[in-house]
Amino acid sequence: MDFKDTPDEAKFRAEVRAWLEANAKPKSATGFSAENPRFQQSEQEALKKAKAWQAKKAEARYARITWPKEWGGLGGTPIQQVIYSQEESKFDVPTGFFEIGLGMCVPTVMHYADKATSERFVSPAIRGEEIWCQLFSEPSAGSDVAGLRTRAEKDGDEWVINGQKIWTSGAHYSDYGILLTRTDPKAPKHKGLTMFWISMKAPGVEARPIKQMSGGANFNEVFFTNLRVKDSQRLGAVGDGWKVALTTLMHERLAVGGGAGGSGPDVNELLMLARETELEDGPAIKNAAVREKIAEWYVRGQGLKYTTYRTLTALSKGSVPGPEASIAKIVVAPKLQDLNSFAMDLEDMGGIAVGEDAPAMGAFQQAFMWAPGLRIAGGTDEILRNIIAERVLGLPGDIRVDKDIPYNELPTGR
Amino acid sequence: MNFDFSDDQKMLKEQAQKFLAEKCPTKAVRKILEGDEPFDRALWKQIAEMGWLGTSIPEEFGGLGLGHLELCVIAEELGRALAPVPFSSSVYLATEALLLAGSKEQKEKYLPKLASGEIIGTFALAEGPQPPTVKSIKASLRGGRLSGVKTPIADGDVADFAVVVARSGEGAGERAIALAIVDLKGEGVTRKAVKTLDPSRSHAEITFKDAPAEALGAAGEGWDIARRVLDRAAILMAFEQVGGADACLAMAKDYALNRYAFGRQIASFQAIKHKLADMYVLNELARSNAFFGAWALSTDAPELPEAAAGARISASDAFHNASKENIQTHGGMGFTWELDCHLFYRRAKMLGLALGAPRVWKDRLITHLERKNVA
Ligand SMILES: Cc1cc2nc3c(=O)[nH]c(=O)nc-3n(C[C@H](O)[C@H](O)[C@H](O)COP(=O)(O)OP(=O)(O)OC[C@H]3O[C@@H](n4cnc5c(N)ncnc54)[C@H](O)[C@@H]3O)c2cc1C
């Protein structure tokens, strides 16, 4: 048993590190990133910086390490991807913006579209020139996304699309999207769906940013009014949209070593705060209750880290990762919420301040306001528990009242 | 990256699981829980014959000369089976203490017999219902004689010798604490069984009155060695806890699939599904933390104290949670003496306290993190 780098891995780490040193600045000692999109003056500015960094990475073939060389990747292993992510996380670089596209949408296109289409899209996506979004959720279909209403109707060699998506991250700056639609309302709901790729700049597409409780507006409502797409933009067979969507979501889960680290202050930042903060009886770090809390979160984080190592070991031996890979978000998101709330408690009455007036540039407060979204996006805590219970433990599915009923006869609510 | 046990180690685990399923069903655990025997002697004998007791003892001292990783996989299975034997006292604690701090003569004298099961060892630290600390230790060691009361000591009634943590006449603070090996069958030692929450593992109060004692380890290093022994034992015990937690999940799942209420399997209610999903998550985190401990133990890494604390906190939490929610999943049946749920609930609490409560280990963990951040 060992998780030290093999000689090959160590060599790769050294290469990556040298490249990062030549191209980026290390993070400051406090760990807070000036390049974090949430600290940028404007989204436009953040996007510009992120695109420039993505282009650099693509040139060095680090933008998609596990993709084959002919698609602009490095043809590397998942472990190399993790090594890269570990090293990159020590540098102050602007990331985000591209994960949905490169992690989910573009792989789906590559899986289902013809070669020419893939060739058209892959390289601009990997260089960060074109951004993709995922148009699945609707006002009446989130967890139950197969209940969606957006209609696509065949008209000659084209499809005409009408309806509305919601919560679409990045739709307002995206160039393309993959869109799940209903093509047969008379079929049971999972059977009448079809997937397309669309241009977000096409006439008939309108993205309206929605202001989040955290203040920003990263997600959108997207309206389709007589949007016309060619039949050649269809991904997978007519009526097979659910299968295609599952491919997309599978890619999301396979993105090991990607995001799951959470997006915000973690145990190290909390330790730092505890050291600096004076409580009634001395520095917070000496307070037993504080120590106990930090230890608990640390152990959860470490448990997850070593779970990832177990997953990677399985991958490196060529076997399919075990179900342990599915626990990440359910651990990370509630921890992010509770840990940052506790950090604010340490700041006591002053913890209510936000932004530059708050300690650590308000990073704890920001994470506190963002964490509720992480518990919902990409499968809610409850849906993830269902997935673990059903797919990992083999417990029965929920009782369904909508199974073999034609979609257009299903009851609807708010 | 190779963060997993080897194929040979996994095979050993499978063998152990099969062996214990056959020789140590919960019926055997109950026999000890309800009867007068302090431990399952027949099982102990067979475990000794298979060489498990000497897994990490070098061949020159009569052991198998395997490593701690092998011991980890065996521990997990002992935990799954709730094996009612003095394995943790004799192997994780007494043997580890001798391996760490014993002189050549001491190793020659004790290790071969520990490996063969001819003698049982234990570790005597506790002195009643409070955490033992440098300040609180009262047992005293003067001129090769030990006096004081240690309680409750796991397997103290059946062990042949104990490694005792005591206060010596010399040194201040930590340096005043010494370790001594005491023959529990010799003069100056009286012991009586202590009733505990988990009678499937026996405990005793041991009173020493000028009992002859032989020093273990260098003078002034007793506390440090004791901590290191506890760290090592914590990792091995974490595997026992993970095994037990896993058994609870399996039991809860099995019951939930077969019990019907409101016209359906109770496993189809989300309240039950989500409870078991949470159990699974905690168990996996504990397993992964235990893996890190196993790595640190097998490579004697500088991270060992931190890894031990992480493994112990995580495994204690997982086993406690799994054992209590297993009862809940069983409803009224879960609260009966007849069903096995309470065996796990008792063992989970017992193991969670045995090497010091998680509270204490959390504090230690932060101390390690503080040091690391300063460095
Ligand atoms: C920050 C953010 C970014 C997002 N980005 C995108 C995006 O880019 N593209 C996209 O398509 N979507 C996106 N989403 C949408 C997201 O996938 C949905 O919000 C999510 O799946 C939940 O759906 P809902 O909002 O309709 O809530 P609902 O499904 O109505 O859920 C409401 C509550 O009911 C619970 N619930 C629902 N069904 C069950 C069940 N079967 N069992 C138990 N409890 C249940 C939920 O857990 C939740 O607590 C984003 C969401 C957020 C917050």
Side-chain angles (χ1 to χ4, degrees), chain A residues 100 104 133-145 165-171 178 212 218-219 370 372-384 386 398, chain B residues 270 274:
Chain A
I100 292 175
M104 292 191 264
C133 61
Q134 178 197 11
L135 299 149
F136 285 16
S137 303
E138 294 189 8
S140 63
S143 301
D144 183 18
V145 70
K165 295 288 168 179
I166 197 167
W167 321 128
T168 319
S169 300
I178 56 173
Q212 291 139 207
N218 303 100
F219 57 24
W370 162 246
L374 194 61
R375 291 185 55 196
I376 295 164
T380 64
D381 285 2
E382 292 75 22
I383 292 298
L384 294 180
N386 259 9
D398 289 353
Chain B
Q270 278 195 356
H274 290 192

Short mmCIF file of all heavy atoms in Angstrom, two decimals, chain A residues 100 104 133-145 165-171 178 212 218-219 370 372-384 386 398, chain B residues 270 274, ligand 1:
data_model
loop_
_atom_site.label_atom_id
_atom_site.label_comp_id
_atom_site.label_asym_id
_atom_site.label_seq_id
_atom_site.Cartn_x
_atom_site.Cartn_y
_atom_site.Cartn_z
N ILE A 100 -18.52 22.70 -17.02
CA ILE A 100 -19.78 22.16 -17.54
C ILE A 100 -19.62 21.74 -18.99
O ILE A 100 -20.03 20.66 -19.40
CB ILE A 100 -20.93 23.18 -17.37
CG1 ILE A 100 -21.22 23.36 -15.87
CG2 ILE A 100 -22.17 22.75 -18.13
CD1 ILE A 100 -22.25 24.45 -15.58
N MET A 104 -19.03 17.84 -19.32
CA MET A 104 -20.29 17.15 -19.61
C MET A 104 -20.78 17.32 -21.04
O MET A 104 -21.07 16.35 -21.72
CB MET A 104 -21.38 17.68 -18.68
CG MET A 104 -21.18 17.30 -17.24
SD MET A 104 -22.67 17.68 -16.34
CE MET A 104 -22.25 19.27 -15.68
N CYS A 133 -23.20 25.35 -22.25
CA CYS A 133 -24.04 25.23 -21.07
C CYS A 133 -24.98 24.03 -21.19
O CYS A 133 -25.16 23.47 -22.27
CB CYS A 133 -24.84 26.51 -20.83
SG CYS A 133 -25.97 26.93 -22.17
N GLN A 134 -25.52 23.65 -20.06
CA GLN A 134 -26.35 22.44 -19.98
C GLN A 134 -27.81 22.85 -19.75
O GLN A 134 -28.17 23.32 -18.67
CB GLN A 134 -25.85 21.60 -18.81
CG GLN A 134 -26.62 20.33 -18.56
CD GLN A 134 -26.34 19.76 -17.18
OE1 GLN A 134 -25.72 20.42 -16.34
NE2 GLN A 134 -26.77 18.54 -16.93
N LEU A 135 -28.63 22.65 -20.77
CA LEU A 135 -30.02 23.12 -20.72
C LEU A 135 -30.95 21.95 -20.40
O LEU A 135 -31.63 21.42 -21.29
CB LEU A 135 -30.38 23.76 -22.07
CG LEU A 135 -29.53 24.98 -22.45
CD1 LEU A 135 -29.37 25.10 -23.96
CD2 LEU A 135 -30.13 26.26 -21.87
N PHE A 136 -30.98 21.55 -19.14
CA PHE A 136 -31.81 20.41 -18.73
C PHE A 136 -32.98 20.86 -17.85
O PHE A 136 -34.13 20.65 -18.16
CB PHE A 136 -30.97 19.38 -17.95
CG PHE A 136 -30.03 18.53 -18.79
CD1 PHE A 136 -29.70 18.89 -20.09
CD2 PHE A 136 -29.48 17.38 -18.26
CE1 PHE A 136 -28.83 18.12 -20.85
CE2 PHE A 136 -28.62 16.59 -19.03
CZ PHE A 136 -28.29 16.95 -20.30
N SER A 137 -32.65 21.50 -16.70
CA SER A 137 -33.69 21.81 -15.72
C SER A 137 -34.72 22.81 -16.25
O SER A 137 -34.39 23.70 -17.03
CB SER A 137 -33.06 22.39 -14.46
OG SER A 137 -32.12 21.51 -13.94
N GLU A 138 -35.94 22.61 -15.77
CA GLU A 138 -37.03 23.52 -16.13
C GLU A 138 -37.80 23.89 -14.87
O GLU A 138 -37.64 23.23 -13.83
CB GLU A 138 -37.99 22.84 -17.12
CG GLU A 138 -37.33 22.57 -18.46
CD GLU A 138 -38.33 22.09 -19.51
OE1 GLU A 138 -39.54 22.10 -19.23
OE2 GLU A 138 -37.86 21.72 -20.59
N PRO A 139 -38.65 24.92 -15.00
CA PRO A 139 -39.41 25.31 -13.80
C PRO A 139 -40.16 24.14 -13.18
O PRO A 139 -40.24 24.03 -11.96
CB PRO A 139 -40.39 26.36 -14.35
CG PRO A 139 -39.69 26.94 -15.53
CD PRO A 139 -38.89 25.82 -16.13
N SER A 140 -40.66 23.24 -14.01
CA SER A 140 -41.43 22.13 -13.44
C SER A 140 -40.66 20.81 -13.47
O SER A 140 -41.24 19.75 -13.32
CB SER A 140 -42.74 21.97 -14.19
OG SER A 140 -42.46 21.63 -15.53
N ALA A 141 -39.35 20.88 -13.69
CA ALA A 141 -38.59 19.64 -13.82
C ALA A 141 -37.14 19.84 -13.42
O ALA A 141 -36.32 20.28 -14.23
CB ALA A 141 -38.66 19.11 -15.25
N GLY A 142 -36.83 19.58 -12.15
CA GLY A 142 -35.46 19.71 -11.66
C GLY A 142 -34.92 18.36 -11.27
O GLY A 142 -34.32 17.65 -12.07
N SER A 143 -35.19 17.95 -10.03
CA SER A 143 -34.83 16.59 -9.62
C SER A 143 -35.46 15.60 -10.58
O SER A 143 -34.85 14.62 -10.99
CB SER A 143 -35.35 16.31 -8.21
OG SER A 143 -34.82 17.23 -7.29
N ASP A 144 -36.68 15.88 -10.91
CA ASP A 144 -37.43 15.02 -11.84
C ASP A 144 -37.31 15.59 -13.24
O ASP A 144 -38.29 15.97 -13.87
CB ASP A 144 -38.90 15.01 -11.39
CG ASP A 144 -39.76 14.10 -12.23
OD1 ASP A 144 -39.20 13.23 -12.92
OD2 ASP A 144 -40.99 14.27 -12.19
N VAL A 145 -36.07 15.63 -13.73
CA VAL A 145 -35.82 16.37 -14.98
C VAL A 145 -36.56 15.74 -16.17
O VAL A 145 -36.91 16.43 -17.13
CB VAL A 145 -34.30 16.52 -15.23
CG1 VAL A 145 -33.66 15.20 -15.58
CG2 VAL A 145 -34.02 17.56 -16.29
N LYS A 165 -36.19 26.87 -20.18
CA LYS A 165 -35.29 26.22 -19.22
C LYS A 165 -35.04 27.19 -18.07
O LYS A 165 -35.30 28.39 -18.17
CB LYS A 165 -33.96 25.86 -19.90
CG LYS A 165 -34.10 24.83 -21.00
CD LYS A 165 -34.38 23.46 -20.41
CE LYS A 165 -34.81 22.47 -21.47
NZ LYS A 165 -35.06 21.13 -20.90
N ILE A 166 -34.50 26.65 -16.99
CA ILE A 166 -34.18 27.53 -15.86
C ILE A 166 -32.95 26.99 -15.12
O ILE A 166 -32.61 25.82 -15.25
CB ILE A 166 -35.39 27.67 -14.90
CG1 ILE A 166 -35.23 28.88 -13.97
CG2 ILE A 166 -35.60 26.38 -14.12
CD1 ILE A 166 -36.51 29.25 -13.23
N TRP A 167 -32.33 27.85 -14.38
CA TRP A 167 -31.11 27.54 -13.60
C TRP A 167 -29.91 27.21 -14.48
O TRP A 167 -28.98 26.57 -14.04
CB TRP A 167 -31.30 26.38 -12.61
CG TRP A 167 -32.61 26.32 -11.89
CD1 TRP A 167 -33.42 25.24 -11.82
CD2 TRP A 167 -33.24 27.33 -11.12
NE1 TRP A 167 -34.53 25.52 -11.07
CE2 TRP A 167 -34.44 26.81 -10.64
CE3 TRP A 167 -32.91 28.67 -10.82
CZ2 TRP A 167 -35.33 27.55 -9.85
CZ3 TRP A 167 -33.78 29.41 -10.05
CH2 TRP A 167 -34.97 28.84 -9.57
N THR A 168 -29.95 27.62 -15.75
CA THR A 168 -28.87 27.26 -16.66
C THR A 168 -27.63 28.09 -16.34
O THR A 168 -27.57 29.29 -16.64
CB THR A 168 -29.28 27.50 -18.12
OG1 THR A 168 -30.63 27.07 -18.27
CG2 THR A 168 -28.37 26.76 -19.05
N SER A 169 -26.64 27.44 -15.75
CA SER A 169 -25.41 28.16 -15.38
C SER A 169 -24.70 28.64 -16.63
O SER A 169 -24.49 27.89 -17.57
CB SER A 169 -24.46 27.23 -14.61
OG SER A 169 -25.07 26.76 -13.45
N GLY A 170 -24.34 29.91 -16.60
CA GLY A 170 -23.52 30.48 -17.67
C GLY A 170 -24.21 30.66 -19.01
O GLY A 170 -23.55 30.98 -19.99
N ALA A 171 -25.52 30.46 -19.08
CA ALA A 171 -26.19 30.58 -20.38
C ALA A 171 -25.93 31.94 -21.02
O ALA A 171 -25.79 32.06 -22.24
CB ALA A 171 -27.70 30.37 -20.23
N ILE A 178 -26.29 22.06 -24.77
CA ILE A 178 -27.03 20.85 -25.11
C ILE A 178 -28.39 20.94 -24.43
O ILE A 178 -28.49 21.30 -23.26
CB ILE A 178 -26.29 19.53 -24.77
CG1 ILE A 178 -25.91 19.45 -23.31
CG2 ILE A 178 -25.06 19.36 -25.64
CD1 ILE A 178 -25.34 18.09 -22.94
N GLN A 212 -29.09 35.45 -7.86
CA GLN A 212 -29.06 34.42 -6.82
C GLN A 212 -29.13 35.04 -5.44
O GLN A 212 -28.82 36.21 -5.25
CB GLN A 212 -27.75 33.63 -6.91
CG GLN A 212 -27.65 32.77 -8.13
CD GLN A 212 -26.27 32.81 -8.74
OE1 GLN A 212 -26.15 32.60 -9.95
NE2 GLN A 212 -25.26 33.11 -7.95
N ASN A 218 -25.23 34.00 -11.85
CA ASN A 218 -24.51 33.04 -12.69
C ASN A 218 -25.45 32.15 -13.47
O ASN A 218 -25.07 31.53 -14.44
CB ASN A 218 -23.61 32.14 -11.85
CG ASN A 218 -22.61 32.93 -11.04
OD1 ASN A 218 -22.81 33.17 -9.85
ND2 ASN A 218 -21.56 33.37 -11.70
N PHE A 219 -26.69 32.03 -13.00
CA PHE A 219 -27.61 31.17 -13.76
C PHE A 219 -28.76 31.97 -14.34
O PHE A 219 -28.94 33.14 -14.04
CB PHE A 219 -28.03 29.93 -13.00
CG PHE A 219 -28.69 30.13 -11.66
CD1 PHE A 219 -29.33 31.29 -11.31
CD2 PHE A 219 -28.68 29.07 -10.73
CE1 PHE A 219 -29.96 31.42 -10.08
CE2 PHE A 219 -29.31 29.20 -9.50
CZ PHE A 219 -29.94 30.37 -9.18
N TRP A 370 -23.10 30.84 -0.59
CA TRP A 370 -23.03 30.05 -1.81
C TRP A 370 -23.37 28.58 -1.54
O TRP A 370 -23.92 27.88 -2.38
CB TRP A 370 -21.63 30.21 -2.40
CG TRP A 370 -21.25 29.15 -3.39
CD1 TRP A 370 -20.27 28.22 -3.25
CD2 TRP A 370 -21.85 28.90 -4.68
NE1 TRP A 370 -20.22 27.41 -4.35
CE2 TRP A 370 -21.18 27.80 -5.25
CE3 TRP A 370 -22.90 29.50 -5.39
CZ2 TRP A 370 -21.52 27.28 -6.49
CZ3 TRP A 370 -23.23 28.97 -6.63
CH2 TRP A 370 -22.54 27.89 -7.17
N PRO A 372 -25.67 26.89 0.06
CA PRO A 372 -27.00 26.32 -0.19
C PRO A 372 -27.17 25.89 -1.64
O PRO A 372 -27.82 24.88 -1.93
CB PRO A 372 -27.96 27.47 0.16
CG PRO A 372 -27.20 28.31 1.11
CD PRO A 372 -25.75 28.23 0.68
N GLY A 373 -26.55 26.64 -2.55
CA GLY A 373 -26.64 26.29 -3.98
C GLY A 373 -25.93 24.98 -4.28
O GLY A 373 -26.42 24.17 -5.07
N LEU A 374 -24.79 24.78 -3.63
CA LEU A 374 -24.04 23.55 -3.87
C LEU A 374 -24.80 22.32 -3.38
O LEU A 374 -24.63 21.23 -3.89
CB LEU A 374 -22.67 23.64 -3.17
CG LEU A 374 -21.63 22.59 -3.60
CD1 LEU A 374 -21.32 22.71 -5.08
CD2 LEU A 374 -20.36 22.70 -2.78
N ARG A 375 -25.66 22.52 -2.37
CA ARG A 375 -26.44 21.37 -1.88
C ARG A 375 -27.59 21.03 -2.82
O ARG A 375 -28.24 20.01 -2.65
CB ARG A 375 -26.98 21.67 -0.48
CG ARG A 375 -25.88 21.72 0.57
CD ARG A 375 -26.45 21.89 1.96
NE ARG A 375 -27.41 20.85 2.24
CZ ARG A 375 -28.29 20.90 3.24
NH1 ARG A 375 -28.32 21.96 4.04
NH2 ARG A 375 -29.11 19.92 3.45
N ILE A 376 -27.84 21.91 -3.81
CA ILE A 376 -28.95 21.70 -4.73
C ILE A 376 -28.46 21.35 -6.14
O ILE A 376 -28.95 20.42 -6.78
CB ILE A 376 -29.84 22.96 -4.79
CG1 ILE A 376 -30.48 23.17 -3.42
CG2 ILE A 376 -30.88 22.85 -5.87
CD1 ILE A 376 -31.06 24.56 -3.22
N ALA A 377 -27.44 22.12 -6.61
CA ALA A 377 -26.96 21.95 -7.98
C ALA A 377 -26.42 20.55 -8.21
O ALA A 377 -25.81 19.95 -7.33
CB ALA A 377 -25.87 22.98 -8.27
N GLY A 378 -26.67 20.03 -9.42
CA GLY A 378 -26.09 18.73 -9.79
C GLY A 378 -26.62 17.58 -8.97
O GLY A 378 -25.90 16.62 -8.71
N GLY A 379 -27.87 17.66 -8.52
CA GLY A 379 -28.46 16.61 -7.68
C GLY A 379 -28.47 17.05 -6.24
O GLY A 379 -27.43 17.30 -5.65
N THR A 380 -29.68 17.18 -5.68
CA THR A 380 -29.79 17.65 -4.29
C THR A 380 -29.27 16.58 -3.33
O THR A 380 -29.13 15.41 -3.69
CB THR A 380 -31.27 17.93 -3.92
OG1 THR A 380 -32.00 16.69 -3.98
CG2 THR A 380 -31.90 18.93 -4.87
N ASP A 381 -29.01 17.00 -2.08
CA ASP A 381 -28.61 16.05 -1.04
C ASP A 381 -29.55 14.85 -1.00
O ASP A 381 -29.13 13.70 -0.86
CB ASP A 381 -28.67 16.72 0.35
CG ASP A 381 -27.51 17.69 0.58
OD1 ASP A 381 -26.69 17.87 -0.34
OD2 ASP A 381 -27.43 18.25 1.69
N GLU A 382 -30.84 15.14 -1.13
CA GLU A 382 -31.84 14.07 -1.01
C GLU A 382 -31.76 13.11 -2.19
O GLU A 382 -31.84 11.90 -2.02
CB GLU A 382 -33.25 14.67 -0.91
CG GLU A 382 -33.52 15.45 0.38
CD GLU A 382 -32.84 16.81 0.44
OE1 GLU A 382 -32.51 17.37 -0.64
OE2 GLU A 382 -32.64 17.34 1.55
N ILE A 383 -31.61 13.68 -3.38
CA ILE A 383 -31.52 12.82 -4.57
C ILE A 383 -30.24 11.98 -4.50
O ILE A 383 -30.23 10.79 -4.86
CB ILE A 383 -31.56 13.69 -5.86
CG1 ILE A 383 -32.96 14.33 -6.02
CG2 ILE A 383 -31.19 12.88 -7.09
CD1 ILE A 383 -34.11 13.35 -6.18
N LEU A 384 -29.16 12.57 -4.03
CA LEU A 384 -27.91 11.80 -3.92
C LEU A 384 -28.05 10.67 -2.93
O LEU A 384 -27.52 9.57 -3.13
CB LEU A 384 -26.75 12.72 -3.53
CG LEU A 384 -26.36 13.76 -4.59
CD1 LEU A 384 -25.21 14.62 -4.10
CD2 LEU A 384 -25.99 13.09 -5.90
N ASN A 386 -30.80 9.11 -2.31
CA ASN A 386 -31.58 8.11 -3.04
C ASN A 386 -30.67 7.29 -3.94
O ASN A 386 -30.79 6.07 -4.03
CB ASN A 386 -32.65 8.79 -3.90
CG ASN A 386 -34.02 8.73 -3.26
OD1 ASN A 386 -34.14 8.32 -2.11
ND2 ASN A 386 -35.02 9.13 -4.00
N ASP A 398 -38.05 4.51 -5.20
CA ASP A 398 -39.26 5.10 -4.62
C ASP A 398 -40.47 4.60 -5.39
O ASP A 398 -40.39 4.32 -6.58
CB ASP A 398 -39.20 6.64 -4.73
CG ASP A 398 -38.17 7.23 -3.78
OD1 ASP A 398 -37.62 6.48 -2.96
OD2 ASP A 398 -37.92 8.45 -3.88
N GLN B 270 -38.15 6.49 2.25
CA GLN B 270 -36.94 7.31 2.17
C GLN B 270 -36.29 7.52 3.53
O GLN B 270 -35.07 7.62 3.62
CB GLN B 270 -37.26 8.66 1.54
CG GLN B 270 -37.30 8.58 0.05
CD GLN B 270 -37.24 9.94 -0.59
OE1 GLN B 270 -37.24 10.97 0.10
NE2 GLN B 270 -37.19 9.96 -1.89
N HIS B 274 -32.48 6.87 3.35
CA HIS B 274 -31.51 7.94 3.58
C HIS B 274 -30.67 7.65 4.83
O HIS B 274 -29.50 8.00 4.90
CB HIS B 274 -32.22 9.28 3.67
CG HIS B 274 -32.77 9.71 2.34
ND1 HIS B 274 -33.24 10.96 2.08
CD2 HIS B 274 -32.90 9.03 1.16
CE1 HIS B 274 -33.65 11.05 0.82
NE2 HIS B 274 -33.45 9.87 0.25
C1 LIG C 1 -26.26 26.97 -8.51
C2 LIG C 1 -27.08 26.10 -9.39
C3 LIG C 1 -26.65 25.86 -10.69
C4 LIG C 1 -27.40 25.05 -11.54
N1 LIG C 1 -26.96 24.87 -12.83
C5 LIG C 1 -27.73 24.13 -13.68
C6 LIG C 1 -27.36 24.00 -15.06
O1 LIG C 1 -26.33 24.53 -15.49
N2 LIG C 1 -28.13 23.28 -15.87
C7 LIG C 1 -29.27 22.67 -15.43
O2 LIG C 1 -29.92 22.00 -16.23
N3 LIG C 1 -29.68 22.78 -14.14
C8 LIG C 1 -28.94 23.50 -13.26
N4 LIG C 1 -29.33 23.64 -11.94
C9 LIG C 1 -30.60 23.05 -11.54
C10 LIG C 1 -30.51 21.87 -10.58
O3 LIG C 1 -30.09 20.73 -11.24
C11 LIG C 1 -31.86 21.70 -9.91
O4 LIG C 1 -32.12 22.86 -9.17
C12 LIG C 1 -31.92 20.51 -9.01
O5 LIG C 1 -31.84 19.32 -9.75
C13 LIG C 1 -33.18 20.49 -8.13
O6 LIG C 1 -34.32 20.67 -8.88
P1 LIG C 1 -35.42 21.78 -8.47
O7 LIG C 1 -34.70 23.04 -8.29
O8 LIG C 1 -36.50 21.71 -9.46
O9 LIG C 1 -35.93 21.31 -7.06
P2 LIG C 1 -37.02 20.19 -6.80
O10 LIG C 1 -36.71 19.00 -7.63
O11 LIG C 1 -38.38 20.77 -6.89
O12 LIG C 1 -36.70 19.85 -5.29
C14 LIG C 1 -37.24 20.57 -4.19
C15 LIG C 1 -36.93 19.77 -2.94
O13 LIG C 1 -37.59 18.51 -3.04
C16 LIG C 1 -36.67 17.47 -2.86
N5 LIG C 1 -37.04 16.34 -3.72
C17 LIG C 1 -37.37 16.34 -5.03
N6 LIG C 1 -37.56 15.10 -5.47
C18 LIG C 1 -37.36 14.28 -4.43
C19 LIG C 1 -37.39 12.88 -4.23
N7 LIG C 1 -37.66 12.03 -5.25
N8 LIG C 1 -37.11 12.41 -3.01
C20 LIG C 1 -36.81 13.25 -1.98
N9 LIG C 1 -36.76 14.56 -2.09
C21 LIG C 1 -37.03 15.08 -3.30
C22 LIG C 1 -35.35 18.06 -3.28
O14 LIG C 1 -34.26 17.34 -2.72
C23 LIG C 1 -35.47 19.47 -2.77
O15 LIG C 1 -35.12 19.50 -1.42
C24 LIG C 1 -28.59 24.45 -11.07
C25 LIG C 1 -29.01 24.67 -9.77
C26 LIG C 1 -28.28 25.49 -8.93
C27 LIG C 1 -28.75 25.72 -7.53
#
